[in-house]
Amino acid sequence: MAGKIVIIGAGQAGAQGAASLREEGFKGAITLIGEERAPPYQRPPLSKAYLAGALAEDRLYLRPREFYDKNDVDLRPGARATAIDRGTKTVALASGETLSYDKLLIATGAPPRRLNVPGADLPGVAYLRTIADSDHLRATFANAKRLVIVGAGYIGLEVAAVARKAGLVVTVLELAARALSRVAPPEVSNFYHDLHRAAGVDLRFGAALSGFEGNGALEAALLADREAIPCDAALICVGAAPATALAEASGLKVDNGLWVDETAASEDPSIWAAGDVTNHPSLLYGRRVRLESVPNAIDQAKAAAANMAGRRMAYDAVPWFWSDQYDLKLQTAGISAGAGETVTRGDPKSKRYAVFSLNQGRLLAVDAINDPASFLVGKKLIGLKASPDPKVLADPEKDLKSLLA
Ligand code: FAD
């Protein structure tokens, strides 16, 4: 199969899309446009090992630079797409160049949501998404003494762990009543709350940030109740917003992400999308979802590439995710939202246990802390839409694999 494929966004999904198109036997031209300077790289270490200084930059790269030449992928780092014209099937670049396509893959990701509070533009107030952001934050840690993190989601808590290890005084402000409230059941939130408190992190819930103050440099974060928390560095981690502006301007359907079907196809027969930017149907959960995770970006991009190359492939994987904080690895499979009950396996005090979230008996999600076996079996059970015996789930003496029989 020949023709021209353009991919907008050279991140996890875009790079996977290019590689998978070649694996699918696509022989035509592939242009991979990325506004960042680095070749496609993985973001997870930016809030973990890379931020801590334990990983070199080239270890972040998803594939060696030679990969793109060898596979005849025209990688364009530092190039930003500014418009999609679906009528003429062209993509305009900021450089003034126009690229024509037969098929287009949109993989623009989801940059951090910005907070427009007074003082948010003070030096010392940062966001974390790119290598440059992580470099900047690490350099800040070397000089700063007091860090305020806005948002107790995964990224905020991972940075809190690294910052504590670097010796900073860390305060985390969270508007909700608990940490990880959008993504984890209360048991897991409480566990991480206790973990961070024990490490010396000051976690504040129901804390509404009203702004930052400082005279040329950051001096304090201000709460709605007027309390000022002294700090010389701040990180805003209040979620991400899908980068849908180009798609929306071209008339594609956008509602909490760019709408695609289970084959990653948009409503335009020449356009597919993959990764954080998409809103896609989950057959497993019977509703649309927008996911922000590496496995989602990889698997959806593989499906997009197969369908673009003419081989039908539906994407309906069990969502999964991981988070490293201190010496603990959390692995999550499924989506716990909507769960009516939870079952705990193992003792949280042992720091090796799992929480299963169920609804009317059906397993919706598992959060496994230093417990890969529960994660793996739980993930399979979720994919099977199983209703496992809660007594077996709860009893570490009983073999979870028996539930798969
Ligand atoms: P991205 O990888 O973000 O790539 C999108 C790319 O498109 C970007 O490089 C962007 O600059 C580019 N782009 C956007 N618009 C344009 C344009 N107009 N022109 C040209 N280029 C454009 N996930 C996990 O599963 N586990 C983790 O532990 C984890 N940790 C994370 C830690 C951090 C700090 C961050 C930021 C994310 C983390 N994630 C984690 C999420 C994961 O990195 C994302 O889900 C994944 O990168 C999504 O891939 P993507 O290709 O959709 O988007």
Side-chain angles (χ1 to χ4, degrees), residues 8-14 33-36 41-48 79-82 107-110 128-130 155 158 243 246 274-277 291-295 297 320-324:
I8 307 178
Q12 191 84 51
I33 305 165
E35 65 189 345
E36 296 185 60
Y41 63 91
Q42 45 164 337
R43 298 186 195 280
L46 301 184
S47 52
K48 311 175 182 77
R80 190 164 56 84
T82 51
T108 44
L128 177 55
R129 182 178 191 226
T130 63
I155 295 177
E158 287 172 355
L246 288 182
D276 286 9
V277 73
L291 303 173
E292 291 164 12
S293 81
V294 165
W320 67 277
F321 189 84
W322 74 92
S323 175
D324 299 327

Side-chain angles (χ1 to χ4, degrees), residues 223-241:
L223 297 183
D225 66 5
R226 295 179 179 275
E227 183 183 352
I229 300 172
C231 59
D232 45 9
L235 180 71
I236 300 178
C237 300
V238 292

Side-chain angles (χ1 to χ4, degrees), residues 39 94 128 134 137 146 174 246 253 299 314 323 332 396:
L128 177 55
S134 189
L137 203 56
R146 308 179 81 90
E174 171 57 56
L246 288 182
K253 176 159 181 166
D299 291 340
S323 175
T332 298

Side-chain angles (χ1 to χ4, degrees), residues 3 46-47 78 109 112 117 122 129 151 154 157 182 204 240 286 288 293-294 311 359 363 375 379:
L46 301 184
S47 52
V117 292
L122 276 167
R129 182 178 191 226
Y154 287 123
L157 293 186
R182 285 185 308 125
R204 312 269 194 101
R288 286 193 155 263
S293 81
V294 165
R311 183 172 72 87
N359 196 37
L363 184 61
F375 166 74
K379 185 163 170 274

